[in-house]
Amino acid sequence: MSFWLKVITTVSAAVCIVSLLALSGLASRTTEGERTDRSVPGWQSMPAAASDTGAMTSTLQLLSGILPVVADQGNQLVDRLAEINNAPGVVRNELLLSFKSPEALAAFRARAAGQGLRVVSSDPRLLSARVRYDSPEAMARELRDNADDYENIGLNYLVWVPGMPDETQTDANNAGGRQPYGDSGLAAIGATGDRSTWGRGVSVALLDTGVTEHPSLSGTQVVHYDLVKDGTPPNGHGTAMASLIAGTGEDEGGAATASRLMDIRVADVNGESNTALVADGIMQAVDQGARVINISLGTTGDSAVLRRAVAYAVERGVVIVAAAGNEQQTTLSYPAGYEGVISVGAMDAEGVQAYFSNSGETLTISAPGVGIVSAYSNGRTVIGSGTSQATAITTGVVSTLLGWGYLPQNIVSTLTSSAQQTGAPQDKVGAGLLQVPKR
């Protein structure tokens, strides 16, 4: 199915969910779609995309004042929940509940099982709970009877490794850069010379598909946490990002080779995750002492729970770097679109905005993202393109700066002031092409 046909089909599916539910966003589902270039040494065939089905759906946003009205509407809320469970782009039979107080969250947890509701996870720091239900009637009853306890009720959106639009499609939203770097892109950002101490003492959390052993990571300290726990192996994307952050390989190495990596697996073998799991991953990273969090994943669904997790990390001095997305859109994926996040777009080897890269007024910076050499699973070396790669390269520079003694609150200003300007508008490429500041 073509990229734009996916958009038309899924927007049509979303229309049926409006009614009493306030429409507040769209969530997209795409798949890994990295480009390859056989001219680059070390090229091996890329794995096929896991799926070619994509989807967008509206969000369940029951704002204050709506729930009391719904209480008098008979089965309308039940019907809406049933419709949502037939919509693509969300985890079926789940809601993300945000509460007004710790007491309200505790009271919900105490009564949930008796109402046939399963609390998959909850976090008192975020005043939130991920809830699974088999009966729309039971879920609707809980929402009606305890409306005053809720700050927000939202969907658990699917989050994916950014996919790639069809290259034959027009790219009116960007400059269309396609020239591959032919290497890791480190020379283009000034990450040259002896990098053996870059990132020393800095823990970098990688929220992705998991990291496997690879020669380029043989000297890198990696601690693994699996939040997916589905028994499937990592699909390679996480290993690629790890190598672009801290790899020591000549071709597939990263800027911050002395960084400690915290592999937090939040996405399955198909590159699929959800907003609740990504939020859990952020909290895990903060708990384990990460100073930087790399999120080369995204969704266009605005989640209150994910937004709270991002704010929690940023308030504690943790730097979050996230991919702008690959949909040729003029809005950023989430969490890149949240305040306090370093959002990263992609450029090609000629300093032109990549044909696939999302953009927007809050885009922070751009980095090499076309024809990037990286590690992959099973010891392979591959060439890929995407804002994922650009994000990992940027994370490596952030880790380096923290290792050099830069304060977290000064990282954004340092990156933007040292960026190489290209003449492109800021809403297309942010401050410009990422550069390592001179010491």
Side-chain angles (χ1 to χ4, degrees):
M1 184 183 293
S2 72
F3 176 71
W4 293 112
L5 183 56
K6 291 178 186 178
V7 173
I8 295 171
T9 301
T10 55
V11 169
S12 298
V15 173
C16 68
I17 306 179
V18 182
S19 188
L20 292 177
L21 306 179
L23 179 66
S24 70
L26 294 173
S28 75
R29 173 182 179 183
T30 57
T31 58
E32 176 70 3
E34 301 179 3
R35 298 175 59 211
T36 59
D37 184 347
R38 296 176 182 269
S39 66
V40 179
W43 181 91
Q44 295 183 21
S45 61
M46 294 294 296
S51 171
D52 192 36
T53 59
M56 284 194 277
T57 184
S58 64
T59 155
L60 173 62
Q61 191 74 35
L62 302 176
L63 304 175
S64 72
I66 290 183
L67 281 171
V69 175
V70 171
D72 298 325
Q73 301 302 314
N75 291 325
Q76 289 192 33
L77 180 55
V78 174
D79 293 340
R80 297 289 81 76
L81 291 173
E83 287 183 66
I84 286 167
N85 283 325
N86 290 321
V90 299
V91 179
R92 289 188 169 191
N93 295 104
E94 288 194 4
L95 292 179
L96 301 185
L97 308 179
S98 299
F99 295 86
K100 294 180 179 178
S101 68
E103 293 76 17
L105 171 59
F108 169 76
R109 288 185 54 86
R111 66 177 177 264
Q115 297 182 352
L117 307 176
R118 177 188 170 193
V119 179
V120 179
S121 64
S122 67
D123 195 319
R125 296 167 296 180
L126 302 180
L127 296 179
S128 67
R130 176 184 177 184
V131 182
R132 186 169 297 160
Y133 60 93
D134 294 323
S135 167
E137 290 80 8
M139 189 73 253
R141 187 181 312 114
E142 161 63 27
L143 299 180
R144 286 194 299 260
D145 293 350
N146 302 281
D148 292 339
D149 288 348
Y150 298 112
E151 182 73 28
N152 180 278
I153 302 169
L155 298 179
N156 191 9
Y157 290 105
L158 292 180
V159 177
W160 283 73
V161 168
M164 300 285 277
D166 189 333
E167 288 189 64
T168 63
Q169 300 294 336
T170 59
D171 51 2
N173 291 327
N174 53 29
R178 299 168 185 267
Q179 183 64 35
Y181 274 87
D183 57 24
S184 65
L186 294 181
I189 65 170
T192 57
D194 182 8
R195 305 188 308 280
S196 61
T197 62
W198 290 20
R200 176 174 291 174
V202 180
S203 291
V204 179
L206 179 61
L207 274 57
D208 215 281
T209 63
V211 177
T212 58
E213 294 184 359
H214 191 277
S216 73
L217 297 171
S218 59
T220 305
Q221 180 181 344
V222 185
V223 179
H224 304 276
Y225 302 93
D226 187 356
L227 303 189
V228 178
K229 299 178 181 178
D230 64 353
T232 63
N235 78 350
H237 185 269
T239 303
M241 299 305 104
S243 73
L244 293 174
I245 295 169
T248 58
E250 182 176 349
D251 292 325
E252 69 276 11
T257 58
S259 299
R260 297 190 298 265
L261 292 183
M262 194 181 296
D263 166 29
I264 302 180
R265 185 173 181 244
V266 297
D268 64 17
V269 69
N270 296 321
E272 178 181 319
S273 184
N274 57 72
T275 48
L277 208 54
V278 174
D280 288 346
I282 291 173
M283 301 302 287
Q284 175 89 351
V286 175
D287 289 345
Q288 298 302 322
R291 297 182 64 190
V292 192
I293 301 175
N294 185 96
I295 307 179
S296 292
L297 304 165
T299 177
T300 52
D302 181 3
S303 165
V305 172
L306 182 56
R307 194 184 323 115
R308 286 184 177 187
V310 166
Y312 181 90
V314 172
E315 288 168 0
R316 283 153 184 78
V318 180
V319 181
I320 299 180
V321 188
N326 300 347
E327 293 78 37
Q328 300 180 337
Q329 298 299 298
T330 55
T331 55
L332 306 181
S333 296
Y334 295 110
Y338 290 132
E339 183 178 359
V341 174
I342 296 176
S343 52
V344 185
M347 281 188 178
D348 77 346
E350 294 180 344
V352 178
Q353 181 194 15
Y355 78 95
F356 49 80
S357 184
N358 288 355
S359 56
E361 293 182 359
T362 60
L363 182 66
T364 307
I365 203 163
S366 291
V370 178
I372 303 299
V373 179
S374 71
Y376 212 77
S377 54
N378 299 320
R380 288 179 292 170
T381 298
V382 297
I383 299 171
S385 298
T387 54
S388 286
Q389 285 81 351
T391 298
I393 291 171
T394 303
T395 294
V397 173
V398 171
S399 179
T400 297
L401 294 178
L402 291 173
W404 287 348
Y406 283 78
L407 298 176
Q409 60 266 32
N410 295 334
I411 293 296
V412 171
S413 61
T414 300
L415 293 179
T416 55
S417 63
S418 60
Q420 177 184 318
Q421 298 186 5
T422 67
Q426 183 170 345
D427 66 334
K428 301 299 183 183
V429 299
L433 179 63
L434 174 74
Q435 296 291 300
V436 178
K438 303 297 184 182
R439 296 187 69 178

